[in-house]
């Protein structure tokens, strides 16, 4: 029987919500900087103990820099703290950001399905916005990311 | 259930702004972002200090759909609203709500007591600025009294996001309020100065849990409470004595089929502001019709009519002048049995002052015929209405097998010269025999209370009435009310069972008759 119960949150990130739509992304989000930002927020809001108790199961499992989607795992007991901490994240590096939760699920399987759907939808939207300047490289990257979702494990 | 953000700051009307367009752009961005994050409605918050004048009336221009779309194309990742709800996805600007800014009140000494006795007519929402130390103490009996009056408290969450100092103050101050209200009459909103302080509805609900609210109450504070706050505010404004809204019905056009009427009524949303809504589908048409009709309506002064009635029985004036198919002359008594299908019984519910013996009713009624104006109509009321207390009537009503829905709809066909739909269904059905009825009556609630007689509140019970049982009349109770009641009821027997209750959520009150 699985001893660790987790919650998987699918979140989207809005980088610099004030900027113009067509501008280039100010920073590239990676697993590392998202994770760092959330940990800092946890430390600031919930203190050392808060950070320590959430750190056990906390992991940023997947980040898509093109569609700005991320999957964050947290333990079932602490997920609300982690969720609040990510909501209160104001910036990653120098760039103001906005996190928005799209889906919360208890198993990696359900999470994978919704993440795939959201990713595809967001990619479609991005194609609409960016229009012609979509390169094959970007497409390739996108496909890689989608593949990555499918291979996610707890 | 849609989520609402009731506090998007509106600074453009300040006299000393130098950058109006920048502020407008910020406001537009905020609105668009809110829509993207999943909010269904947004309210602009305009701060006015001092005495308000007519010129301060809300005249905020609504953003047109094109300007909204220019900022970004939409793809809704959110789950669509459940199909049976009449709400529409889209953003709508909400009608103005009077709010008492807690900050203004600080200047007055003894503000704590003032909070308790604030003008009950005017205040719908109390927003206290929690980000600094409160100069007055929040007391629990004050909060309780305010809740009983129906006032909502607002907590803004952008302070939680901005910086640590503000966060600290805010959580400790707001926690008190949250503990005492336990989420009842509480509304969360952002007072976001810019887009970076805005957060999605689920995230805000989670932040509310930091303050001590369980998750479902928090979500309700964002959606249900907002909606009922606005519905209440609208009710106070547009409904005469909080009970009636009378609207002229556009005669003619929609007479052909009854189906569209039902659908329109189902979709009527009490807080919709008509043409200002940005709708993502084309249900706008149905609303625009109703919105236009309602603009030309003035409420009728029933009070003057009410006093002129005799003390027993109801007098109906101007009952349909035109020969509506609906109003087949319902002979009272025996004719009723023949009338069979045409039902329209509007149950006037009320506690009769002395529950008359049932025998009284039939005699008088049999001599009258509906086709003549100004008759005495005795309404049968629920058997259980024998109790004299008004509060009992409500309970009894809800216990009754049938419930009567009174909803008026502006789309209803007007048959009357005054433009009111008055259908008379004769109330003969004995209340406890009403089971077989399948017609839904919709009428906009009703009449006002003349001083000595009774006070009404319309009841929010929906009834299915099919065929009127003729002998019901004989058993009907006598209602001793002397109000003139205009009801518009649907004549069709088609029952739309579930529809009644859905569409009319915010606008019905309970009918109550008090003993005079």
């Amino acid at each position: 029987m699985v001893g660790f119960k987790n919650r998987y949150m699918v979140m989207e990130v809005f980088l610099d919500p004030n900027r113009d739509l067509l501008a280039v992304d100010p920073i590239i989000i990676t697993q590392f900087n998202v994770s760092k930002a959330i940990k800092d927020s946890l430390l600031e809001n919930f203190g050392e103990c808060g950070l320590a108790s959430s750190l056990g199961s906390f992991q940023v499992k997947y980040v898509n820099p093109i569609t700005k989607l991320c999957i964050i795992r947290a333990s079932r007991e602490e997920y609300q703290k982690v969720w609040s901490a990510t909501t209160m994240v104001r910036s990653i590096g120098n760039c103001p950001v906005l996190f928005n939760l799209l889906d919360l699920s208890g198993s990696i399987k359900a999470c994978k399905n919704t993440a795939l759907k959201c990713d595809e939808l967001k990619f479609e939207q991005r194609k609409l916005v960016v229009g012609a300047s979509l390169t094959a490289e970007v497409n390739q990257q996108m496909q890689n990311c989608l593949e990555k979702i499918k291979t996610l494990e707890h | 259930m849609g989520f609402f953000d009731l506090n998007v700051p509106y600074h453009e009307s300040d006299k000393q702004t130098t950058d109006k367009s920048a502020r407008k752009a910020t406001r537009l961005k905020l609105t668009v972002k809110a829509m993207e994050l999943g909010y269904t409605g947004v309210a602009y918050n305009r701060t006015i200090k001092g005495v308000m004048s007519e010129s301060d009336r809300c005249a905020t221009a609504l953003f047109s759909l094109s300007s909204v779309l220019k900022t970004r194309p939409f793809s809704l990742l959110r789950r669509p609203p459940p199909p049976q709800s009449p709400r529409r996805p889209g953003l709508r600007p909400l009608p103005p709500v009077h709010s008492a800014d807690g900050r203004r009140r600080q200047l007055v000494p003894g503000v704590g007591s003032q909070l308790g006795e604030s003008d009950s007519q005017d205040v719908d929402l109390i927003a206290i600025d929690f980000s600094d130390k409160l100069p007055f103490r929040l007391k629990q009996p004050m909060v309780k009294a305010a809740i009983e009056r129906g006032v909502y408290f607002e907590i803004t969450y952008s302070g939680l996001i901005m910086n640590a100092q503000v966060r600290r103050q805010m959580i400790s101050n707001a926690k008190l309020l949250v503990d005492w209200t336990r989420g009842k009459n509480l509304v969360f909103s952002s007072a976001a100065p810019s887009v970076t302080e805005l957060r999605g509805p689920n995230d805000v609900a989670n932040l509310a849990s930091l303050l001590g609210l369980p998750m479902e109450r928090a979500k309700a504070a964002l959606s249900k409470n907002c909606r009922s706050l606005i519905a209440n505010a609208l009710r106070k404004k547009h409904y005469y004595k909080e009970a009636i809204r009378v609207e002229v019905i556009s005669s003619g056009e929609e007479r052909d089929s009854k189906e569209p009427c039902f659908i329109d009524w189902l979709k009527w949303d009490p807080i919709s502001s008509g043409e200002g809504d940005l709708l993502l589908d084309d249900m706008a048409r149905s609303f625009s019709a109703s919105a236009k009709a309602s603009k030309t309506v003035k409420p009728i002064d029933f009070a003057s009519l009410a006093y002129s009635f005799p003390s027993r029985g109801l007098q109906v004036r101007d009952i349909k002048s035109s020969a509506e198919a609906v109003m087949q002359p319902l002979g009272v008594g025996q004719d009723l049995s023949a009338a069979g299908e045409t039902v329209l019984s509007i149950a006037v519910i009320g506690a009769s002052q002395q529950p008359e013996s049932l025998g009284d009713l039939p005699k008088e009624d049999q001599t009258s015929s509906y086709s003549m104006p100004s008759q005495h109509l005795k309404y049968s009321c629920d058997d259980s209405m024998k109790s004299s207390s008004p509060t009992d009537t409500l309970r009894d009503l809800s216990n009754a097998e049938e419930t009567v829905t009174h909803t008026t709809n502006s789309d209803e066909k007007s048959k009357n010269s005054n433009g009111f739909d008055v259908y008379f269904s004769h109330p003969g059905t004995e209340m406890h025999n009403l089971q077989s009825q399948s017609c839904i009556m919709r009428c906009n609630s009703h009449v006002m209370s003349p001083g000595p007689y009774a006070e009404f509140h319309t009841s929010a019970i929906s009834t299915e009435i099919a065929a009127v049982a003729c002998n019901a009349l004989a058993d009907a109770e006598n209602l001793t009310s002397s109000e003139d009641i205009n009801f518009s009821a649907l004549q069709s027997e088609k029952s739309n069972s579930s529809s009644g209750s859905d569409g009319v959520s915010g606008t019905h009150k309970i009918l109550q008759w008090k003993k005079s």
Side-chain angles (χ1 to χ4, degrees), chain B residues 252-465:
Chain B
E253 302 108 19
E254 297 158 52
R255 303 274 309 266
D256 25 63
S257 72
K258 299 191 187 68
E259 273 317 311
C261 269
F262 280 106
I263 298 178
D264 284 346
W265 290 331
L266 291 180
K267 291 190 216 149
W268 180 55
D269 193 340
I271 70 176
S272 153
S273 53
E275 69 283 348
D277 297 346
L278 302 176
L279 292 171
L280 300 183
D281 49 32
D282 54 357
M283 282 156 93
R285 271 179 279 118
S286 58
F287 288 94
S288 57
S290 62
K292 285 193 194 93
S294 60
K295 287 206 177 47
T296 54
V297 171
K298 292 189 229 13
I300 303 299
D301 185 5
F302 292 108
S304 56
L305 300 175
Y307 281 94
S308 51
F309 292 145
S311 58
R312 313 221 326 163
L314 291 157
Q315 215 173 29
V316 178
R317 299 196 179 158
D318 288 351
I319 307 181
K320 348 204 346 165
S321 46
S322 59
E324 207 19 54
V326 180
M327 271 293 295
Q328 293 154 12
L330 297 171
V332 180
Q334 293 89 357
D335 292 350
L336 275 186
S337 44
E341 317 256 77
T342 58
V343 174
L344 303 169
S345 69
I346 290 172
V348 170
I349 309 146
S352 44
Q353 299 166 1
Q354 271 93 19
E356 311 291 328
S357 69
L358 297 180
D360 283 350
L361 184 55
K363 292 233 171 18
E364 251 183 300
D365 284 340
Q366 277 159 13
T367 55
S368 62
S369 78
Y370 282 90
S371 49
M372 289 176 8
S374 72
Q375 309 163 355
H376 285 275
L377 283 175
K378 306 255 171 25
Y379 284 86
S380 57
C381 60
D382 204 334
D383 238 3
S384 46
M385 296 284 146
K386 294 204 165 102
S387 60
S388 50
S389 69
T391 50
D392 286 355
T393 63
L394 179 52
R395 261 180 278 125
D396 292 336
L397 273 181
S398 49
N399 293 341
E401 294 168 14
E402 308 78 20
T403 43
V404 176
T405 322
H406 299 213
T407 54
T408 36
N409 194 312
S410 56
D411 283 341
E412 220 171 343
K413 315 170 185 180
S414 70
K415 287 106 184 161
N416 208 337
S417 51
N418 319 1
F420 295 111
D421 252 346
V422 177
Y423 286 123
F424 258 97
S425 42
H426 108 322
T429 60
E430 168 185 341
M431 280 314 172
H432 37 265
N433 283 353
L434 276 179
Q435 315 86 339
S436 51
Q437 318 193 325
S438 64
C439 178
I440 291 189
M441 277 193 344
R442 301 178 176 236
C443 57
N444 230 335
S445 2
H446 54 278
V447 198
M448 24 321 17
S449 51
Y453 294 108
E455 250 177 52
F456 295 88
H457 308 271
T458 51
S459 82
I461 314 182
S462 55
T463 313
E464 306 263 273
I465 307 174

Side-chain angles (χ1 to χ4, degrees), chain B residues 27-173:
Chain B
R27 189 162 63 96
L28 176 60
K29 275 199 207 143
L30 271 171
T31 316
V32 167
K33 196 76 187 169
M35 192 167 171
E36 207 177 331
L37 288 174
Y39 286 101
T40 321
V42 157
Y44 300 125
N45 185 37
R46 213 171 149 184
T47 318
I48 297 170
K49 298 204 170 80
V51 179
M52 293 206 296
S53 68
E54 271 308 303
S55 65
D56 291 331
R57 208 163 255 286
C58 177
T60 325
L62 308 169
F63 289 124
S64 70
L65 190 56
S66 56
S67 66
V68 164
L69 282 181
K70 255 191 274 176
T71 37
R72 53 188 70 225
F74 278 102
S75 80
L76 291 181
L77 283 173
R78 327 291 159 219
R79 295 194 207 104
Q84 72 273 13
S85 79
R87 334 278 179 227
R88 302 101 63 210
L91 200 61
R92 63 183 90 143
L94 303 168
V97 154
H98 288 239
S99 82
D101 187 352
R103 177 148 271 174
R104 255 188 303 176
R105 289 162 169 270
Q106 288 173 14
L107 304 174
V108 182
V111 75
S113 59
Q114 212 192 31
L115 205 62
E117 300 132 19
S118 59
D119 1 71
S120 46
Q121 286 84 21
D122 285 348
V123 176
D124 299 307
L125 180 72
I126 298 182
I128 309 178
D129 186 13
F130 288 107
S131 48
D132 277 330
K133 197 156 156 37
L134 287 182
F136 59 90
R137 276 252 176 87
L138 263 182
K139 298 214 179 82
Q140 188 181 15
M142 305 290 181
V143 172
K144 242 177 149 184
I147 291 185
E148 269 156 37
R149 276 206 320 265
V151 174
Y152 284 78
F153 287 92
E154 183 196 37
I155 297 182
T156 57
Y157 65 79
S158 66
L160 285 174
I161 302 176
M162 283 212 278
N163 60 32
Q165 192 63 10
V166 171
R167 205 177 291 161
R168 203 182 291 176
Q169 283 295 332
M170 188 159 164
I171 294 191
S172 65
N173 292 336

